[in-house]
Structures are given as structure tokens and as C-alpha cells.
Amino acid sequence: MNQELLGRLDELKNLTRDQLECARRLDGARLAELNFRRQELMFDLQLLIDESLPVPIEHLQTVRDVCGEINRLEERLEVVSRAVLDAIGGSADTSTYDQMGRVGKAG
């Protein structure tokens, strides 16, 4: 389970990195694909966490480190997304995915 959790967290980190790059390049089609994949991955992660025992202490720091990297990437993605919306005259109150993969209001 722990290797699966760590693998899924790494997948989320890489996916978030890809989302950031797509946002920078204004690649809306690919970003939409990644958003859909993110929603699926967040659901899978939630199930994995709900069904698992606590993470062993020897893996806890690794989980924290990866989650910290994901958080920093998500913060950068939010900044880039807001800058793009400002540049094209869009509203930050548009529907988007939150960190849990649910559709809601940005900002």
C-alpha cells in the first residue's frame, strides 16, 4: 500500500508539473485532459487513503516532502492561471477544479 501511495503521489506531482507547463504555454486542450486525469487520480488517492492503515513512520517524511512539492507546484499553477486570465480578460470566478478534483469557483 505504501509504495502504491507514494507512486500515486509522485504521479500527482508530475501531473501538476505538466499542468503548470500547459498553463504557461496556453495549451488548453492538453490542460483539459490533465484536469480530467487529476480528478480521477484524486479520487483514487482518496480511496487509497480511506482504505489504508496509517503510513509507517519511515515513510511519513517522504509523504510530507512529496505533498510539500505538490503544494508548491499548485501554488505556482494558481499564479500562472490568474496571470493568464488577467491577460485574456477572463474572470477568476470561473469554474475550475479544486485540489480535491471537484468543480468549483476559482479564487
Side-chain angles (χ1 to χ4, degrees):
M1 180 311 282
N2 292 311
Q3 291 301 355
E4 186 176 3
L5 176 62
L6 291 173
R8 294 296 174 112
L9 288 173
D10 275 337
E11 187 178 345
L12 179 60
K13 179 180 69 174
N14 293 330
L15 186 141
T16 306
R17 189 174 288 130
D18 291 346
Q19 286 179 298
L20 179 59
E21 190 58 34
C22 285
R24 285 182 178 148
R25 285 191 265 144
L26 302 176
D27 186 350
R30 177 73 176 133
L31 187 56
E33 292 173 19
L34 293 173
N35 287 343
F36 181 76
R37 176 64 191 128
R38 179 187 190 80
Q39 185 177 11
E40 291 177 331
L41 183 57
M42 292 302 294
F43 180 78
D44 291 347
L45 273 167
Q46 189 63 53
L47 288 178
L48 191 61
I49 290 168
D50 288 348
E51 296 173 356
S52 67
L53 298 174
V55 175
I57 194 77
E58 62 269 15
H59 293 156
L60 194 55
Q61 189 59 48
T62 302
V63 169
R64 285 183 181 152
D65 291 345
V66 173
C67 288
E69 289 179 59
I70 292 167
N71 189 48
R72 285 186 292 280
L73 287 166
E74 288 175 342
E75 288 172 356
R76 290 171 56 196
L77 178 59
E78 183 177 347
V79 168
V80 170
S81 297
R82 287 185 187 279
V84 169
L85 287 173
D86 288 346
I88 63 173
S91 169
D93 292 329
T94 57
S95 293
T96 186
Y97 291 104
D98 65 12
Q99 289 183 350
M100 294 302 296
R102 296 180 300 250
V103 175
K105 295 291 183 187

